[in-house]
Amino acid sequence: MRVTFLDHSGFLVETDPVSLLFDWWKGELPALRPGVPLYVFASHRHEDHFKPEIFALDRWKDEVLDDGNRDVYFLLGKGISLDLPHRRRWGISPVTAGKARVRQGGQTLSLPQAEIETLSSTDEGVAFLVTLPDGRTVFHAGDLNWWHWEGEDKGWNRNMEVNFKKYAEPLRGRKIDLAMLPLDPRLGEAGFWGPAYLLETADIRRFLPMHQWGDFGFTRKFLEKYPAFTDRTVPVERTGQVFEF
């Protein structure tokens, strides 16, 4: 499994049977391997997770796609509309629109090279759990996180905690080979709570932090607070960084 950190919450995960592109809106996309299907995920419509230009991947040739004939599917979180006005505005052809699926939490979709489950999010859209043909699993949380903001109403923060734990419950005890989880420095130490809870709840083998707004040193602070997660945490230090698992 080869993983490229594109920027913010964007990752390209390349496996033998399929390439998975998550929440790409910024950063350089590497050339993709010839003939390998591409599944493009956009967890929700926020501009730091989604850009309409992803739909051009269905027609790119040469520089990124080998011949324009590969299988491309688009998995979109609820709230990303593909109604006629949006399709016209974004230049999406009927053929490309036919390769897109808008998903809500709690759904399962079988594609030729992966089984895709969606979880509800504490913000917008969904989180994605992808099971590959060999049984390996990849989880991208999108904005599913324990959002706790200082100065926010106590009831709001308490409701966020309850919803986060409820939405994360399907992951309890699940083996996840690679998880991309928000570790957001804007929350201060409360930014540790979401990934720590998921690392305790699921059997996560490798954790890649995301949604750090360029503050990559926040991972070090997280591990100082939770040293037990050191062996499973893979620090992200720069855009374009490549990992092999």
Side-chain angles (χ1 to χ4, degrees):
M1 186 182 295
R2 178 184 175 91
V3 181
T4 303
F5 173 64
L6 303 174
D7 207 329
H8 195 57
S9 296
F11 293 88
L12 175 66
V13 180
E14 296 174 280
T15 73
D16 289 340
V18 65
S19 293
L20 313 172
L21 178 61
F22 292 100
D23 283 15
W24 177 50
W25 67 284
K26 188 179 181 182
E28 184 176 353
L29 184 64
L32 303 178
R33 295 168 299 156
V36 178
L38 175 65
Y39 296 172
V40 182
F41 299 82
S43 62
H44 61 291
R45 61 185 177 180
H46 288 168
E47 63 181 10
D48 62 323
H49 291 261
F50 166 71
K51 64 176 181 178
E53 287 80 1
I54 61 172
F55 297 108
L57 288 168
D58 195 32
R59 61 177 184 268
W60 280 9
K61 298 182 180 180
D62 300 330
E63 308 96 311
V64 177
L65 303 184
D66 53 304
D67 57 7
N69 294 321
R70 75 172 65 235
D71 292 328
V72 180
Y73 293 94
F74 299 90
L75 295 309
L76 313 174
K78 66 176 183 179
I80 299 177
S81 175
L82 288 183
D83 60 14
L84 184 58
H86 281 94
R87 296 201 306 271
R88 286 175 172 169
R89 184 181 311 141
W90 297 337
I92 302 174
S93 72
V95 172
T96 299
K99 299 179 180 181
R101 300 290 184 272
V102 178
R103 314 304 292 166
Q104 299 184 20
Q107 294 184 312
T108 301
L109 177 66
S110 294
L111 291 177
Q113 297 298 339
E115 187 88 0
I116 298 162
E117 302 171 56
T118 50
L119 279 67
S120 297
S121 176
T122 44
D123 195 338
E124 290 198 26
V126 298
F128 295 104
L129 180 64
V130 181
T131 302
L132 299 168
D134 62 4
R136 286 180 298 170
T137 51
V138 176
F139 179 69
H140 189 283
D143 266 359
L144 172 59
N145 192 29
W146 186 339
W147 301 106
H148 180 98
W149 299 98
E150 290 299 325
E152 184 59 79
D153 178 78
K154 290 183 179 179
W156 187 95
N157 277 331
R158 173 58 182 163
N159 189 57
M160 174 61 63
E161 176 186 357
V162 170
N163 284 337
F164 171 71
K165 293 178 178 178
K166 178 175 68 174
Y167 298 157
E169 192 60 24
L171 300 179
R172 182 170 298 279
R174 296 281 295 271
K175 179 182 76 69
I176 299 175
D177 292 284
L178 175 65
M180 292 154 278
L181 311 175
L183 185 62
D184 196 316
R186 299 174 302 169
L187 303 177
E189 284 204 4
F192 303 157
W193 299 351
Y197 183 84
L198 291 175
L199 286 162
E200 292 167 349
T201 299
D203 181 13
I204 295 172
R205 308 297 174 86
R206 291 288 183 271
F207 156 47
L208 281 172
M210 65 180 190
H211 216 275
Q212 295 189 98
W213 301 99
D215 185 0
F216 301 122
F218 197 60
T219 300
R220 175 182 51 78
K221 297 176 183 177
F222 170 73
L223 294 175
E224 288 173 356
K225 184 73 173 182
Y226 296 94
F229 300 139
T230 300
D231 290 344
R232 292 189 279 163
T233 302
V234 182
V236 174
E237 299 172 336
R238 64 186 183 278
T239 57
Q241 188 172 0
V242 176
F243 308 89
E244 299 278 356
F245 300 118

